[in-house]
Amino acid sequence: FMLSREEVLQIMRHFDSREDGQVSYNEFCDALLDEDFTTGMLKSKSRLDAYHDGSYAERAAVRTAERQETLEVRNAVRAIGECLYKRQNVFARLCKEFGHITHEATVTSQQIQHAFRQIGQWFELEDVQRCVLFLNPGADLERIPYLEFLKAVQTSFHDVAVHR
């Protein structure tokens, strides 16, 4: 089927009983399947509304953007974690690089990116920032305690599932 964006939104709105911009598995099943236990006759299913709801389209677009950013965060944390967890001596090499960069116990996200590049690992700045904020949501990207960051990346490696 080739559906227009408006038709897709109409179908989504029909199944989305919470009207939050995304259709959960339970909402989908509730709309398609009959109730398991009823006290009366089976209810007839509601018909598809044909009107266009601009606010619902906006909510759906926001949810799509949120899911995309969540995917980007997971990929960034997984890639950086894989680099630290699976490669020997990366932790020590990064600590040495941070020692060359600064005498303080904190670094910026740009310095983390630079240290990774110095040891031959290329990560985008946005991915480094996503990883830092995922592991420490209230972090100041200009003052990241690098030892705690590196330890958090290593210990959280198995917490972030591989994309299926």
Side-chain angles (χ1 to χ4, degrees):
F1 293 105
M2 294 299 295
L3 301 174
S4 69
R5 181 168 171 74
E6 289 77 23
E7 291 170 326
V8 170
L9 287 170
Q10 285 174 1
I11 293 169
M12 281 181 61
R13 193 177 66 247
H14 177 74
F15 288 110
D16 186 8
S17 60
R18 292 183 307 214
E19 297 183 3
D20 60 354
Q22 75 180 20
V23 179
S24 71
Y25 175 76
N26 289 339
E27 288 173 317
F28 182 77
C29 289
D30 288 346
L32 285 182
L33 303 174
D34 292 328
E35 292 181 36
D36 291 337
F37 177 78
T38 60
T39 56
M41 296 296 290
L42 290 176
K43 300 175 187 173
S44 62
K45 300 291 182 184
S46 62
R47 299 191 58 81
L48 193 64
D49 286 332
Y51 78 95
H52 176 72
D53 184 0
S55 64
Y56 184 80
E58 186 177 315
R59 283 192 306 274
V62 167
R63 294 297 269 197
T64 301
E66 286 174 358
R67 284 191 303 274
Q68 182 61 35
E69 180 59 23
T70 299
L71 178 65
E72 295 292 331
V73 168
R74 294 178 65 79
N75 288 341
V77 172
R78 185 71 184 180
I80 292 173
E82 202 168 281
C83 174
L84 269 170
Y85 188 80
K86 291 186 174 179
R87 296 174 194 237
Q88 206 170 17
N89 298 328
V90 169
F91 190 99
R93 291 173 62 198
L94 283 171
C95 287
K96 186 176 179 181
E97 286 300 324
F98 291 136
H100 292 313
I101 293 172
T102 183
H103 64 282
E104 296 180 15
T106 61
V107 291
T108 66
S109 54
Q110 291 89 354
Q111 289 172 327
I112 293 174
Q113 180 192 31
H114 176 73
F116 271 111
R117 287 187 176 177
Q118 289 298 104
I119 64 166
Q121 302 298 319
W122 293 82
F123 297 108
E124 296 294 326
L125 180 60
E126 293 82 17
D127 289 340
V128 171
Q129 292 171 342
R130 285 178 177 125
C131 185
V132 169
L133 293 173
F134 175 80
L135 296 170
N136 186 0
D140 177 6
L141 295 175
E142 296 300 315
R143 298 190 49 81
I144 304 161
Y146 65 86
L147 279 176
E148 287 80 11
F149 169 70
L150 295 176
K151 288 177 186 177
V153 170
Q154 276 191 322
T155 57
S156 68
F157 177 70
H158 290 291
D159 295 340
V160 181
V162 177
H163 181 66
R164 298 169 222 166

